[in-house]
Amino acid sequence: EIVLTQSPATLSLSPGERATLSCRASQSVSSYLVWYQQKVGQAPRLLIYDAFDRATGIPARFSGSGSGTDFTLTISSLEAEDFAVYYCQQRRSWPLTFGGGTKVEIK
Amino acid sequence: EVQLVESGGGLAQPGGSLRLSCVASGFTFSRCAMSWVRQVPGRGLEWVSSISGSGSGIYYADSVKGRFAISRDNSKNTLYLQTDSLRAEDTAVYYCAKVLYYDILTGLFDYWGQGTLVTVSS
């Protein structure tokens, strides 16, 4: 099973700041890394797939990078609606696995 | 518009059973692999099971293998999860999720339902 480790667990930032979230895999997932956003009381929302492809309707301030074992989700300038929990997930092999999440909170 | 509506959650006793359903609309259901993902309230996401569009391909998480069974009825646009031998640690919100691509069984979910809560307690 591929273990995904997200860091930091919590990121305290102000609107307008840049957010950098990390996801590290215990073995290579190639580019098969997905990012989701989840707000309180809502289902997850697909943001980025296959490391850097933005899903339909996702603003350009969200970008993904990385390959192999190290991945980054960057939010270039935080807006109020971006404060949420972010999860990475690998689809390289079964079982599918998720990271533990990074909470982006308002400072 | 894609819609996924889960139902069937509720309170079950340890060792009991529940059958979860997810009714889909707004896309060609029979061509889409589907999955169940669960989340303990306040905790992270855990993949549970996936099934191909035809139903011929199925995967389970080790934590539910032998106790849960995923299935689908393409004539009814409905996905199911039969949960047997329930344990306290199965308590979670269960989401159904649709795969982004047609005709491929993979774990890339572009739409999720609102979830149905399963509580296992005596």
Side-chain angles (χ1 to χ4, degrees), chain B residues 7-68:
Chain B
S7 61
L11 177 63
Q13 293 200 336
S17 299
L18 285 173
R19 189 195 198 198
L20 309 185
S21 299
C22 171
V23 177
S25 60
F27 62 101
T28 306
F29 182 73
S30 62
R31 292 184 62 193
C32 250
M34 300 290 294
S35 294
W36 290 97
V37 177
R38 67 184 181 184
Q39 184 173 37
V40 175
R43 305 289 294 274
L45 299 166
E46 180 189 15
W47 169 76
V48 174
S49 182
S50 295
I51 186 169
S52 64
S54 66
S56 60
I58 288 177
Y59 292 96
Y60 294 103
D62 285 346
S63 58
V64 306
K65 201 173 293 182
R67 300 187 300 121
F68 290 10

Side-chain angles (χ1 to χ4, degrees), chain B residues 52-110:
Chain B
S52 64
S54 66
S56 60
I58 288 177
Y59 292 96
Y60 294 103
D62 285 346
S63 58
V64 306
K65 201 173 293 182
R67 300 187 300 121
F68 290 10
I70 192 171
S71 62
R72 63 191 297 157
D73 184 337
N74 288 343
S75 68
K76 296 181 178 179
N77 281 9
T78 302
L79 174 72
Y80 301 101
L81 186 69
Q82 178 67 40
T83 67
D84 297 326
S85 303
L86 284 164
R87 305 167 180 167
E89 54 265 35
D90 295 319
T91 295
V93 174
Y94 285 72
Y95 296 101
C96 69
K98 167 193 170 293
V99 168
L100 173 65
Y101 303 118
Y102 281 137
D103 305 321
I104 182 170
L105 177 52
T106 186
L108 173 50
F109 310 124
D110 61 340

Side-chain angles (χ1 to χ4, degrees), chain A residues 37 39 45 59 61-62 78-84 86:
Chain A
Q37 176 194 66
K39 298 180 181 178
R45 174 194 182 195
R61 64 180 180 273
F62 291 91
L78 282 164
E79 300 202 1
E81 62 263 32
D82 300 336
F83 291 93
Y86 293 82

Side-chain angles (χ1 to χ4, degrees), chain A residues 82-94:
Chain A
D82 300 336
F83 291 93
V85 180
Y86 293 82
Y87 294 96
C88 60
Q89 176 234 313
Q90 64 82 19
R91 69 179 190 98
R92 173 63 180 83
S93 65
W94 304 91

